[in-house]
Amino acid sequence: MNNWILISCLFLLQTACTPTPNASLAKNPATAPPVIEELAPAARPRNVILLIGDGMGLTQISAGLYSNGDHLNLERFPVIGLHKSYSSDNLITDSAAGATAFSAGKKTYNGAIGVDPEGKPLYTILEEADDQGLATGMVTTSTIVHATPAAFIAHEAQRTYYEPIARDFLDTDIDLFIGGGKKYFDRREDGRDLLQELRQKGYAVSSFLETNFKDLSVDYSKKLTYLTSDSDPLSVEQGRDYLTPASILACDFLDKFNSKGFFLMIEGAQIDWGGHANNSSYIITEMLDFDKAVGAVLDFAEKDGHTLVIVTADHETGGYAINPGSTRDSIIGAFTSDYHTATLIPVFAYGPGAQLFAGIYENTAIYDKMRQAFGFRGMAVRKN
Ligand code: MG
Ligand code: MG
Ligand code: ZN
């Protein structure tokens, strides 16, 4: 009996004197040590594909699943984790800070594109992959200069600097990019024709004006730019249908373009826009379009055997809920906001290195884990 009292007292004493780990982490996330265990070379993927469903929280996933016979390709992932999406200046992140956390491993302020809270350019995983001799690419259903893709390649103080962001595409050797926003490249205030400059840099450049995406003929000896629209691409409900074929093309293209491996970011951008519009059917059609692309990428990864596939979102949008009275044919959505929320965000992983993505961690850890999977070592430092 006395022993029990003694042990209890010691326990109480210790808990009283030691701050709980949760409290210290919450106050100072920067002190959480990064995981730096090494993956054996044989356990590393050759390719890493990061798919981002912008604004895709658990309810967006659930609504898509119920509307699709209770199934999604997301069920094919063996490893699931959760990330904490908050930014450096707000519990509610935006897509710029959210994507910069993934692309460069730093929490930054809302609106920041590939720069830290002081505005200093960060070295992104796409830039590092390029410097390491890997092929790189991006595909999106927004403009290619929109916050999510921009944060992987551009360094600008604000997400709305679309023309400077477009110019930043010339500073890397990204091998493939597909998305909207042609006007930011060829009708600019500074008068430059960036499409012409891309051609001079060795890109095959085409757009919706010249060809339907399905009829695109690909020259595998050149880098590839395809601009799907002048401004924002259409929604699925309005007839947009390129995400899956563009994702398949991107995997095949980057695989053939460079045998060392590749980094590819694919975004389903408009799940977020459905959330902002508080529109369930917009969310669900975009969610299922994104999930179809996820399935096609998984098919590639299964056949390839050396590809790590990660699917996540930057944040949830709408405070979306599926309310009583809903059926599989008719989701009665309820929304608490027309902006983003701070709920934990799921992460799905498949392939070599997937086990790194189990657990609960900061959004910035996704960057660390991707570097770890690639076997990139030491501090990430820009070469130029
Ligand atoms: Mg390159
Ligand atoms: Mg986005
Ligand atoms: Zn948004």
Side-chain angles (χ1 to χ4, degrees):
M1 226 22 188
N2 282 343
N3 277 351
W4 278 112
I5 293 166
L6 184 65
I7 288 167
S8 302
C9 286
L10 281 173
F11 179 74
L12 282 173
L13 195 64
Q14 204 197 357
T15 48
C17 297
T18 317
T20 67
N22 281 349
S24 64
L25 271 177
K27 274 188 204 127
N28 193 356
T31 59
V35 186
I36 44 168
E37 95 208 39
E38 289 237 345
L39 274 189
R44 289 179 201 153
R46 194 160 55 207
N47 313 315
V48 174
I49 304 175
L50 174 64
L51 294 111
I52 301 174
D54 199 312
M56 182 188 72
L58 266 183
T59 310
Q60 284 76 0
I61 293 170
S62 308
L65 179 139
Y66 294 135
S67 307
N68 193 50
D70 296 349
H71 285 294
L72 287 177
N73 285 300
L74 287 176
E75 291 171 73
R76 294 164 62 186
F77 287 82
V79 177
I80 297 172
L82 292 168
H83 79 70
K84 310 174 200 177
S85 65
Y86 61 90
S87 65
S88 74
D89 68 341
N90 205 310
L91 187 61
I92 317 295
T93 191
D94 82 326
S95 301
T100 301
F102 300 154
S103 73
K106 265 267 186 299
K107 298 256 187 198
T108 189
Y109 61 92
N110 287 1
I113 298 292
V115 297
D116 74 7
E118 283 73 50
K120 204 172 120 272
L122 295 162
Y123 187 47
T124 72
I125 187 136
L126 188 148
E127 292 167 323
E128 187 172 13
D130 179 40
D131 285 342
Q132 296 286 337
L134 305 181
T136 58
M138 292 201 281
V139 176
T140 184
T141 55
S142 65
T143 67
I144 197 73
V145 295
H146 210 257
T148 310
F152 284 81
I153 199 163
H155 307 281
E156 300 294 341
Q158 289 300 335
R159 57 184 291 168
T160 50
Y161 298 170
Y162 294 127
E163 291 192 4
I165 289 167
R167 185 195 57 211
D168 286 353
F169 274 75
L170 276 296
D171 292 342
T172 68
D173 285 323
I174 185 169
D175 300 297
L176 169 147
F177 58 96
I178 299 169
K182 182 170 182 287
K183 68 179 181 188
Y184 301 111
F185 288 81
D186 65 0
R187 273 150 293 160
R188 301 166 52 84
E189 276 176 27
D190 63 11
R192 283 169 67 176
D193 181 351
L194 298 186
L195 296 184
Q196 198 46 39
E197 293 183 34
L198 283 164
R199 286 190 185 94
Q200 281 156 6
K201 270 195 83 179
Y203 287 80
V205 178
S206 51
S207 78
F208 69 104
L209 289 177
E210 298 145 47
T211 173
N212 194 314
F213 184 82
K214 288 182 213 110
D215 305 326
L216 187 64
S217 73
V218 177
D219 178 350
Y220 286 93
S221 71
K222 285 185 156 184
K223 293 183 277 200
L224 174 67
T225 301
Y226 182 87
L227 293 164
T228 58
S229 55
D230 245 341
S231 321
D232 291 335
L234 300 175
S235 65
V236 167
E237 289 176 322
Q238 291 166 327
R240 191 196 73 240
D241 60 359
Y242 69 78
L243 183 60
T244 294
S247 300
I248 293 169
L249 170 69
C251 292
D252 290 346
F253 181 90
L254 295 174
D255 196 38
K256 283 198 188 122
F257 199 79
N258 178 334
S259 59
K260 271 189 77 176
F262 63 78
F263 173 77
L264 169 63
M265 194 287 292
I266 297 171
E267 185 195 17
Q270 297 194 31
I271 303 166
D272 175 65
W273 302 0
H276 285 289
N278 285 5
N279 182 331
S280 272
S281 79
Y282 193 174
I283 291 172
I284 290 165
T285 48
E286 295 294 335
M287 178 67 223
L288 293 179
D289 184 59
F290 180 64
D291 185 69
K292 203 167 116 196
V294 167
V297 168
L298 274 179
D299 292 343
F300 169 86
E302 281 173 4
K303 233 185 276 165
D304 179 68
H306 304 283
T307 300
L308 169 63
V309 182
I310 306 142
V311 183
T312 191
D314 44 1
H315 53 74
E316 193 274 344
T317 306
Y320 187 35
I322 300 172
N323 262 11
S326 296
T327 64
R328 286 174 176 76
D329 297 326
S330 164
I331 298 290
I332 299 173
F335 297 86
T336 61
S337 168
D338 62 4
Y339 192 58
H340 310 154
T341 71
T343 186
L344 294 180
I345 295 297
V347 182
F348 304 82
Y350 169 90
Q355 70 278 10
L356 299 172
F357 293 84
I360 303 182
Y361 40 82
E362 299 292 340
N363 55 358
T364 51
I366 291 175
Y367 162 85
D368 297 321
K369 292 169 192 296
M370 291 192 296
R371 286 191 79 234
Q372 197 181 347
F374 265 138
F376 293 169
R377 307 171 79 143
M379 289 271 287
V381 183
R382 288 194 103 171
K383 297 233 161 53
N384 48 6

